[in-house]
Amino acid sequence: MTVVDAEGREITGCVRHSARQLASLEGSRLHPMAALGPWAVDVYCRAAELPPFAWLVGL
């Protein structure tokens, strides 16, 4: 999955890490092409359950 941050930088990662980035980077979104894959909904659902910077609190 590719996450696009508020400044337009693209960061590619697995579903788990993309969800963490989406939850942590303000103004981030999935790349539009991510909608073609079946994992986009999974990334959004996981991101909704995570606090920002979840790795700092041990999640």
Side-chain angles (χ1 to χ4, degrees):
M1 302 304 301
T2 301
V3 175
V4 182
D5 71 6
E7 296 178 14
R9 292 181 295 229
E10 296 181 0
I11 308 154
T12 302
C14 65
V15 170
R16 180 177 180 221
H17 287 102
S18 294
R20 287 173 175 246
Q21 291 171 355
L22 195 61
S24 301
L25 300 174
E26 188 172 331
S28 64
R29 62 200 182 281
L30 287 182
H31 190 279
M33 294 300 290
L36 297 176
W39 305 281
V41 173
D42 191 22
V43 171
Y44 275 114
C45 290
R46 288 179 185 222
E49 295 175 356
L50 290 170
F53 305 102
W55 58 91
L56 294 177
V57 293
L59 295 177

